[in-house]
Amino acid sequence: MEPRNDGEGDSEEIKAKVKNKKQGCKNEEVLAVLGHELGHWKLGHTVKNIIISQMNSFLCFFLFAVLIGRKELFAAFGFYDCQPTLIGLLIIFQFIFSPYNEVLSFCLTVLSRRFEFQADAFAKKLGKAKDLYSALIKLNKDNLGFPVSDWLFSMWHYSHPPLLERLQALRSTKQD
Ligand SMILES: [Zn+2]
């Protein structure tokens, strides 16, 4: 029993330490983050994303309707005499659309990062540049975000710009 108790005590100590390490944001910083989110709303980012996703759905279903009747597609996968719809769905959405989906997701990631910079600039226009600056650092620290990122990796994968780029953008707008 005793060593187990010791172990539990240790883990609680570690938990308390981790808790103390969390910084949290001050009210002004929370307000600055809210300013950023309001920027997304004011600049119509949500509406733009909805329109893009609706157009994408329409395009996918349109292409699906065109392709589902093609016998060659099914024959390529060994279905010579029948054309099961489920197999058609798999072939078209998983194989035919896969290069298109890669390109689309890259474009959406680029767009998303653009929107983030615009929302940051909006918060700056509200006079929240300084508080957003420190809030971004605290949030990155609390979320154990790694501050350095490879430009090629972040360009392909990150929906939000790397912390240092956002801080640099905030700083450069701060001066003018
Ligand atoms: Zn944002």
Side-chain angles (χ1 to χ4, degrees):
M1 281 303 277
E2 267 176 32
R4 217 172 127 194
N5 278 345
D6 281 344
E8 272 172 19
D10 277 353
S11 76
E12 255 164 43
E13 220 170 83
I14 291 166
K15 263 186 209 167
K17 266 186 191 169
V18 169
K19 220 177 180 183
N20 286 339
K21 266 189 181 173
K22 290 232 170 199
Q23 297 177 311
C25 286
K26 289 184 292 180
N27 281 351
E28 296 77 34
E29 291 165 340
V30 174
L31 199 61
V33 173
L34 187 65
H36 166 99
E37 301 306 336
L38 283 174
H40 283 307
W41 165 75
K42 178 74 179 166
L43 301 167
H45 293 165
T46 318
V47 176
K48 285 172 190 168
N49 277 329
I50 290 173
I51 291 170
I52 290 169
S53 91
Q54 292 296 310
M55 277 165 50
N56 178 50
S57 298
F58 180 81
L59 182 74
C60 285
F61 282 116
F62 174 76
L63 284 175
F64 177 76
V66 170
L67 293 171
I68 192 74
R70 310 280 304 197
K71 280 182 186 166
E72 313 90 286
L73 276 184
F74 291 92
F77 285 84
F79 292 88
Y80 299 104
D81 306 322
C82 57
Q83 294 159 28
T85 313
L86 197 62
I87 301 299
L89 270 169
L90 275 177
I91 294 171
I92 294 167
F93 279 98
Q94 226 172 29
F95 295 101
I96 309 271
F97 283 173
S98 106
Y100 163 73
N101 281 336
E102 284 299 319
V103 174
L104 179 75
S105 92
F106 174 67
C107 293
L108 288 180
T109 314
V110 170
L111 187 69
S112 165
R113 284 198 300 266
R114 224 181 120 89
F115 284 172
E116 292 308 319
F117 279 127
Q118 287 175 357
D120 281 355
F122 182 85
K124 187 255 158 192
K125 256 206 300 193
L126 297 175
K128 302 290 174 199
K130 207 175 127 257
D131 292 321
L132 186 62
Y133 192 93
S134 54
L136 286 175
I137 294 173
K138 279 186 182 175
L139 287 172
N140 194 71
K141 213 169 168 185
D142 285 355
N143 293 324
L144 305 178
F146 195 65
V148 184
S149 48
D150 179 69
W151 69 272
L152 201 57
F153 186 87
S154 67
M155 188 174 74
W156 187 262
H157 291 287
Y158 288 7
S159 65
H160 285 59
L163 176 69
L164 295 179
E165 280 178 36
R166 287 179 82 174
L167 295 181
Q168 202 178 11
L170 272 175
R171 235 189 342 238
S172 64
T173 49
K174 237 159 74 174
Q175 279 160 358
D176 53 46

